[in-house]
Amino acid sequence: MKKGAFFILFLVACTAISYTTTGCTDKKPAADSVAVDTGRVDSVVEDTMETIIEQTPMPKAADELFDDFFFNFCGNRKLQRSRIRYPLPVYMDGKVSSHIAQKEWKIDHFFMNQGYYTLIFDNRKQMNLMKDTAVNHVVVEKIYFSQKRVKQYLFNRVNGQWMLTSLNFKPMYENQNASFWRFYERFSTDSAFQVESMNDLVQFTTTDPDDEFRQIEGSMAPEQWPSFKPGLIPSGIIYNIIYGQEYQQSSQKIFVIRGIANGQEEELVFRKRQGRWKLMSFNG
């Protein structure tokens, strides 16, 4: 399911929820009933979206592109259970520690509930892999900053179908992105450090505050960051999808934040300068 199709389902779900919560009545709500149980509403929205996704069969063509398959895998419990190779091996620091039987698998909605996901690339050429139908191996990473661990979901295309074939737990700092993860963990939560991590001039493209359909471009000094920074800088737990890109000890990282249902995208470009990561540009 492409993101556009997923957006349509999202709108249908929201419409259904709106109808459910307002009901078929002309009566005005009592004064003390204005407060909304947002937790309940969120749960209803999630359940409705999941039901719609599950009732919409995944087209065979969705297996051609990993993203199309994965959005279905995240939202469709029946499909998810059928696209796992059981017993699923679980690796801990490179060694098999256990196996998960089919009846033991717990449905994982990944980043669907938070409404966005993140990606990291060394260069723009690597970004082309997202649309490459020849890719047959993809790793979805769930990065836990507090635990300093990475949980990897390894997917392979088997007989034309994407399958989850293993789980792998690794220390967060034992990979080619270790230097950047150390930096980003602090950058994502420390506003003063963000300003310290600006280039002398940072190029930006952002939405015009007076016209949401218009983009403005320019450059800003570090002290202007609080006024111009993107609305979302994920922290705590983030995701990364490896479509086959081979990371190097690169002096550049492109950090992408993609909305699932709204089509929004933010992009932050960092480069190493004299041993320190600096934000060079952003688009958001």
Side-chain angles (χ1 to χ4, degrees):
M1 181 184 300
K2 296 185 183 298
K3 286 189 286 185
F6 184 83
F7 183 44
I8 293 173
L9 290 179
F10 180 82
L11 290 177
V12 172
C14 289
T15 301
I17 295 306
S18 175
Y19 181 83
T20 301
T21 55
T22 55
C24 299
T25 177
D26 294 327
K27 294 181 180 180
K28 294 183 178 180
D32 60 356
S33 66
V34 174
V36 177
D37 184 346
T38 56
R40 178 178 176 275
V41 171
D42 288 345
S43 177
V44 173
V45 170
E46 179 182 331
D47 291 345
T48 302
M49 288 181 65
E50 187 172 308
T51 299
I52 292 173
I53 294 172
E54 289 186 349
Q55 291 177 351
T56 305
M58 187 182 80
K60 293 182 179 180
D63 272 309
E64 293 182 6
L65 203 62
F66 179 78
D67 280 4
D68 292 350
F69 154 76
F70 192 60
F71 283 119
N72 283 273
F73 184 85
C74 293
N76 189 324
R77 289 175 294 185
K78 183 178 180 181
L79 175 71
Q80 186 171 129
R81 291 187 184 280
S82 70
R83 290 301 187 92
I84 298 174
R85 278 200 156 184
Y86 303 103
L88 184 70
V90 179
Y91 291 81
M92 190 70 67
D93 300 329
K95 297 180 180 179
V96 177
S97 63
S98 62
H99 289 81
I100 300 176
Q102 183 171 11
K103 64 180 180 181
E104 298 171 330
W105 176 255
K106 295 181 180 179
I107 298 300
D108 192 333
H109 293 295
F110 296 86
F111 40 67
M112 300 297 280
N113 295 337
Q114 67 186 24
Y116 66 88
Y117 63 104
T118 52
L119 302 163
I120 183 172
F121 303 96
D122 285 347
N123 52 61
R124 299 196 178 279
K125 184 178 180 180
Q126 290 182 348
M127 299 173 75
N128 295 330
L129 290 169
M130 292 186 290
K131 300 178 181 179
D132 189 348
T133 57
V135 171
N136 290 311
H137 175 73
V138 173
V139 179
V140 177
E141 294 186 317
K142 189 173 185 178
I143 300 155
Y144 300 84
F145 283 122
S146 62
Q147 300 176 23
K148 306 295 186 289
R149 302 285 290 182
V150 176
K151 182 179 182 181
Q152 295 182 325
Y153 302 76
L154 280 68
F155 291 87
N156 289 282
R157 188 146 43 185
V158 181
N159 296 325
Q161 293 187 329
W162 284 104
M163 302 287 294
L164 176 62
T165 56
S166 66
L167 299 180
N168 192 3
F169 290 85
K170 288 185 173 182
M172 188 172 72
Y173 296 145
E174 288 188 5
N175 62 49
Q176 298 288 356
N177 290 322
S179 170
F180 181 75
W181 291 141
R182 287 190 183 94
F183 160 78
Y184 183 80
E185 179 181 10
R186 183 178 176 188
F187 181 88
S188 65
T189 58
D190 188 333
S191 57
F193 183 68
Q194 290 174 9
V195 175
E196 293 175 17
S197 303
M198 302 286 112
N199 192 39
D200 292 340
L201 279 179
V202 178
Q203 305 299 315
F204 71 88
T205 302
T206 189
T207 303
D208 187 336
D210 298 322
D211 184 356
E212 63 180 6
F213 297 104
R214 181 172 173 265
Q215 295 267 297
I216 56 175
E217 299 180 3
S219 58
M220 48 152 274
E223 58 268 20
Q224 295 176 292
W225 171 248
S227 300
F228 288 91
K229 70 178 182 179
L232 180 63
I233 300 180
S235 62
I237 298 175
I238 65 173
Y239 286 87
N240 182 38
I241 301 179
I242 304 174
Y243 298 90
Q245 63 265 33
E246 296 182 3
Y247 297 112
Q248 305 295 327
Q249 292 292 349
S250 172
S251 60
Q252 175 178 272
K253 297 296 177 184
I254 302 173
F255 188 73
V256 179
I257 306 163
R258 286 191 162 180
I260 294 174
N262 56 18
Q264 293 181 350
E265 181 168 314
E266 298 176 1
E267 180 184 291
L268 292 84
V269 178
F270 298 89
R271 293 198 184 102
K272 257 191 176 179
R273 292 289 184 265
Q274 297 179 339
R276 294 185 60 187
W277 287 102
K278 296 284 186 177
L279 178 65
M280 308 301 294
S281 65
F282 67 90
N283 184 342

